[in-house]
């Protein structure tokens, strides 16, 4: 039987993962990208991404992230790249914080290696965090961070090694089903494939009608004090999400020994991927400066680097992983609402299932496109 010919539109985290998983199964893959991945104009850049298991967004994500860990390790092995560092994760806040309560719920539902630390324990173990009397944290042991640019590169390398193609600088204008196959149209070409996966991140609405909102997100790297670096290394400083007054700020250990990345989760301005403001103003960094000085020890107010990224949000902040309602040869994935990276290989494998069999054994019932009335 001839190999399935599949086009993947978009080669960010989700498209690259789909291409990798499909190519591994013997499909003939062509990935189209309007930019040159890995690039910093979409959602899959910025040095680090959190992966964690006690998933406060909903316990239904836990089996998926557990599978993703294995697939990330497989990718490391296949590619020879180091991509995943385990640090544990701290969800810090008052006992009633959504992240704290949700992480505990997921941990109990799935019997995870996670426990609650009180303020004294937190101060003792993590002196780089400024802890108030009513703060607690869930320590999620099965957690750490991924290197997004290296991960996308590793997946692209696997696609190419498995005889797939990545076409850069090509904008897909239309994806349309025909009797003989699904036609992918660019400015220059029209090509027919057996199936097409749309993984266009913030540009998804150009090709598939979904009620998505694109949110601009700022990441900032703060200089750390010379004597603070030792407390903020991956060995001693878990990735963290800290919720104060309903606002979540997350951070990473230092990767270069001189700076630490923090960013606010959500709360960014709504934008469009074509017109997004790419420069970061000093005023936008002020809330992060305040966070750094209020809640972290050993971190200065000097920002050494900043970057802009996009969240592609659904109304309920759950993903979309589904077949096109009119044609099962078209699959749409992503709309990850700012928390998708960690799942990329399992999302890619689900897309490969949907392309190959029209269904998957994973429970993706929450991620249907039809849950939104369009
Ligand atoms: C600041 C920030 C922090 C985050 N932190 C985390 C985290 O800690 N943990 C976590 O799990 N997730 C995190 N996320 C979310 C995660 O990074 C995203 O969910 C994920 O990267 C989305 O990948 P994607 O492939 O869907 O989108 P993208 O990376 O945007 O890729 C889409 C690709 O499609 C291409 N494209 C679009 N339209 C077309 C077209 N018509 N023709 C050809 N190519 C096209 C684009 O050029 C792009 O390369 C974060 C996101 C941001 C922005």
């Amino acid at each position: 039987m001839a190999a399935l010919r599949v086009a993947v539109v978009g080669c960010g985290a989700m498209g690259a993962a789909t291409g990798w998983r499909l190519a591994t199964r013997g499909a003939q893959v062509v990935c189209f990208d309007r930019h040159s991945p890995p690039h910093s104009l979409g959602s899959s850049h910025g040095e680090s991404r959190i992966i964690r298991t006690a998933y406060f967004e909903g316990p239904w994500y836990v089996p998926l992230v557990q599978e993703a860990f294995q697939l990330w390790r497989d990718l490391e092995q296949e590619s020879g790249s180091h991509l995943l560092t385990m640090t544990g994760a701290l969800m810090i806040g008052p006992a009633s914080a959504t992240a704290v309560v949700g992480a505990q719920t997921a941990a109990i539902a799935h019997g995870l290696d996670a426990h609650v630390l009180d303020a004294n324990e937190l101060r003792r173990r993590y002196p780089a965090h400024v802890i108030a009397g009513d703060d607690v944290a869930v320590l999620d042991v099965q957690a750490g961070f991924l290197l997004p640019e290296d991960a996308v590169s590793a997946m692209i390398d696997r696609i190419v090694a498995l005889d797939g193609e990545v076409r850069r600088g090509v904008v897909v204008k239309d994806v349309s089903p025909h009797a003989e196959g699904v036609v992918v149209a660019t400015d220059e070409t029209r090509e027919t494939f057996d199936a097409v996966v749309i993984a266009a991140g913030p540009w998804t609405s150009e090709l598939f009608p979904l009620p998505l909102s694109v949110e601009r997100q700022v990441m900032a790297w703060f200089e750390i004090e010379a004597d603070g670096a030792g407390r903020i290394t991956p060995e001693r400083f878990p990735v963290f999400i800290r919720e104060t007054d309903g606002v979540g700020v997350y951070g990473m250990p230092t990767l270069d020994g001189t700076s630490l990345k923090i960013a606010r989760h959500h709360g960014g301005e709504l934008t469009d991927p074509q017109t997004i403001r790419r420069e970061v103003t000093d005023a936008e960094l002020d809330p992060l400066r305040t966070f750094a000085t209020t809640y972290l020890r050993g971190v200065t107010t000097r920002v050494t680097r900043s970057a802009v990224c996009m969240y592609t949000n659904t109304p309920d902040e759950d993903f979309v992983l589904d077949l096109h309602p009119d044609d099962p040869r078209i699959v749409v994935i992503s709309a990850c609402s700012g928390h998708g990276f960690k799942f990329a290989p399992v999302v890619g494998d689900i897309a490969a299932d949907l392309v190959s069999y029209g269904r998957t054994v994973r429970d993706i019932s929450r991620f249907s496109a039809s849950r939104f009335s369009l």
Side-chain angles (χ1 to χ4, degrees):
M1 209 172 80
L4 207 59
R5 274 199 90 230
V6 186
V8 181
V9 183
C11 201
M14 301 302 154
T18 302
W20 169 46
R21 300 314 298 160
L22 277 165
T24 302
R25 297 177 188 201
Q28 210 191 321
V29 175
V30 180
C31 289
F32 295 85
D33 202 287
R34 67 197 309 148
H35 296 297
S36 184
H39 61 79
S40 55
L41 301 169
S43 317
S44 303
H45 60 282
E47 188 181 77
S48 50
R49 286 289 186 272
I50 294 177
I51 180 165
R52 54 196 158 80
T53 307
Y55 218 66
F56 60 82
E57 291 86 342
W60 54 90
Y61 285 100
V62 173
L64 296 177
V65 81
Q66 288 173 324
E67 212 186 327
F69 270 105
Q70 184 54 51
L71 288 166
W72 285 120
R73 291 300 188 203
D74 291 351
L75 179 62
E76 283 188 319
Q77 239 184 356
E78 282 180 33
S79 65
S81 314
H82 168 69
L83 304 171
L84 167 62
T85 303
M86 297 302 280
T87 61
L90 287 172
M91 268 60 67
I92 310 173
S96 60
T98 312
V100 172
V101 175
Q104 283 174 280
T105 306
I108 293 164
H110 291 278
L112 302 177
D113 188 359
H115 30 272
V116 180
L117 306 180
D118 66 15
N120 285 333
E121 184 72 1
L122 277 171
R123 285 187 196 114
R124 195 180 62 75
R125 289 175 66 168
Y126 307 108
H129 286 289
V130 177
I131 298 295
D134 62 347
D135 281 333
V136 298
V138 177
L139 173 63
D140 176 6
V141 175
Q142 291 304 315
F145 64 88
L146 294 152
L147 304 179
E149 289 86 352
D150 290 356
V152 171
S153 286
M155 294 188 283
I156 289 175
D157 289 350
R158 291 309 298 151
I159 294 169
V160 173
L162 294 162
D163 295 328
E165 260 183 80
V166 176
R167 295 192 199 156
R168 294 178 160 88
V170 183
V171 181
V172 171
K173 290 287 167 72
D174 188 51
V175 173
S176 53
H178 294 266
E180 68 282 10
V182 184
V183 174
V184 171
T186 69
D187 274 337
E188 270 103 52
T189 59
R190 282 171 61 81
E191 214 172 322
T192 305
F193 292 88
D194 297 318
V196 175
V197 178
I198 298 172
W203 291 265
T204 299
S205 303
E206 287 179 9
L207 296 168
F208 191 100
L210 284 170
L212 304 177
S213 58
V214 177
E215 194 183 342
R216 180 173 169 280
Q217 294 286 317
V218 172
M219 303 174 255
W221 284 257
F222 284 82
E223 184 181 60
I224 48 188
E225 289 165 5
D227 62 349
R231 288 196 295 247
I232 306 178
T233 59
E235 297 75 38
R236 302 191 53 194
F237 190 77
V239 299
F240 71 89
I241 299 173
R242 183 155 190 167
E243 201 175 303
T244 45
D245 300 326
V247 173
V249 171
Y250 60 89
M252 309 280 174
T254 180
L255 304 198
D256 60 6
T258 62
S259 67
L260 148 152
K261 180 176 101 172
I262 58 174
R264 182 173 167 182
H265 186 44
H266 289 300
E269 68 192 32
L270 292 187
T271 187
D272 176 289
Q274 293 303 99
T275 57
I276 183 169
R277 199 160 54 82
R278 297 275 174 194
E279 49 312 320
V280 176
T281 64
D282 208 43
E284 305 184 81
L285 298 172
D286 279 342
L288 292 175
R289 275 198 190 94
T290 304
F291 180 91
T293 49
T294 312
Y295 296 112
L296 293 171
R297 272 191 203 95
V299 177
T300 74
T301 54
R302 197 170 95 80
V303 174
T304 57
R305 183 151 63 108
S306 62
V308 167
C309 180
M310 287 179 274
Y311 283 0
T312 306
N313 299 321
T314 61
D316 56 13
E317 293 178 14
D318 284 322
F319 308 159
V320 174
L321 310 175
D322 207 352
L323 300 166
H324 194 293
D326 301 330
D327 198 300
R329 295 171 299 177
I330 303 174
V331 168
V332 64
I333 57 165
S334 182
C336 321
S337 306
H339 62 116
F341 196 91
K342 61 185 81 60
F343 299 97
V346 72
V347 165
D349 209 64
I350 288 169
D353 276 349
L354 294 177
V355 163
S356 310
Y357 316 116
R359 60 195 163 79
T360 178
V361 291
R362 285 79 161 217
D363 181 5
I364 55 166
S365 50
R366 283 185 179 265
F367 307 135
S368 74
S370 62
R371 71 186 189 274
F372 310 115
S373 51
L374 296 171

